[in-house]
Amino acid sequence: TFPYTTLFRSPLLPEKNNIPDIALIVDSSYSMDANLEEGYGPYDTLLRAQFSLLNWIKRTGKTYQMNFSAMNFSNRTNFSGWHPYSELDDVKETLFAYQGGGTTLDPKKVRELYRKRKHPFLAILTSDGAIENYSVAADSLIELVKAGNALSIIHIKEQGMDFHSREFLKKMQDYA
């Protein structure tokens, strides 16, 4: 059902024994609420989940084969660039830069994400789904998938979805 939908699309993942790079795309808008110093709010929970994933990958011993990036969107979209695990602090800096504004995902930055990649990657987008420019954002994410990458959308919302959330997820599901 919509409020907790996970969409996964994987047209051209790397060969069986290869591991895709990871791009973490996070919504840091006002509705995601955060108090990082006190350690509570949806954005804090989101970051804990992202770091749990990174720690799990580290425990597998595969980080030396992978590159990582982060994209943080709200009033503006910040992209960390691609980095090896040894430079993960650059990725973390982008993740920790909570903005607390509107919810706009810049399609130019999404294109930069997949055009600057060295290898196929898995993009994990986590949002409450209220993306104001949902149509062009969805188009750029579909392009990302068509370019040979995988995309997982984790939609978190405590209550019913607004128009933007429904339309964004509908457009993505229509593509899948």
Side-chain angles (χ1 to χ4, degrees):
T1 61
F2 270 120
Y4 302 100
T5 298
T6 299
L7 171 67
F8 185 77
R9 179 75 175 151
S10 165
L12 300 171
L13 276 178
E15 295 177 19
K16 187 177 179 180
N17 293 325
N18 291 337
I19 300 166
D21 292 339
I22 300 288
L24 302 173
I25 305 173
V26 297
D27 173 352
S28 71
S29 64
Y30 175 79
S31 60
M32 291 295 286
D33 194 23
N35 188 327
L36 300 179
E37 291 178 12
E38 298 293 324
Y40 66 85
Y43 196 73
D44 181 78
T45 303
L46 176 136
L47 288 180
R48 289 174 190 275
Q50 303 288 359
F51 284 98
S52 293
L53 171 67
L54 295 173
N55 285 333
W56 177 80
I57 293 169
K58 182 180 179 183
R59 285 193 310 271
T60 68
K62 305 292 184 186
T63 56
Y64 69 94
Q65 300 175 26
M66 301 173 69
N67 290 295
F68 300 86
S69 71
M71 186 169 287
N72 175 329
F73 67 98
S74 179
N75 284 342
R76 65 186 179 283
T77 302
N78 300 321
F79 173 47
S80 68
W82 287 98
H83 299 277
Y85 191 81
S86 61
E87 297 172 9
L88 198 62
D89 284 346
D90 294 329
V91 174
K92 290 178 181 179
E93 183 177 320
T94 300
L95 290 172
F96 273 106
Y98 176 74
Q99 297 179 56
T103 314
T104 303
L105 178 58
D106 185 345
K108 291 177 186 173
K109 291 289 187 176
V110 173
R111 290 181 188 101
E112 183 181 351
L113 170 72
Y114 69 80
R115 288 179 178 155
K116 288 192 173 186
R117 69 173 164 73
K118 296 178 183 175
H119 309 286
F121 63 90
L122 167 61
I124 303 169
L125 185 150
T126 307
S127 173
D128 60 9
I131 299 172
E132 294 159 11
N133 64 333
Y134 66 88
S135 186
V136 293
D139 289 342
S140 66
L141 292 167
I142 290 168
E143 291 171 20
L144 177 149
V145 172
K146 286 181 177 179
N149 305 293
L151 172 66
S152 175
I153 297 175
I154 302 171
H155 181 259
I156 54 172
K157 182 83 171 180
E158 291 180 21
Q159 299 174 355
M161 292 192 303
D162 66 6
F163 173 79
H164 292 117
S165 300
R166 285 191 307 275
E167 292 302 308
F168 173 74
L169 290 174
K170 181 181 181 315
K171 189 164 188 170
M172 295 306 300
Q173 288 179 334
D174 286 349
Y175 171 73

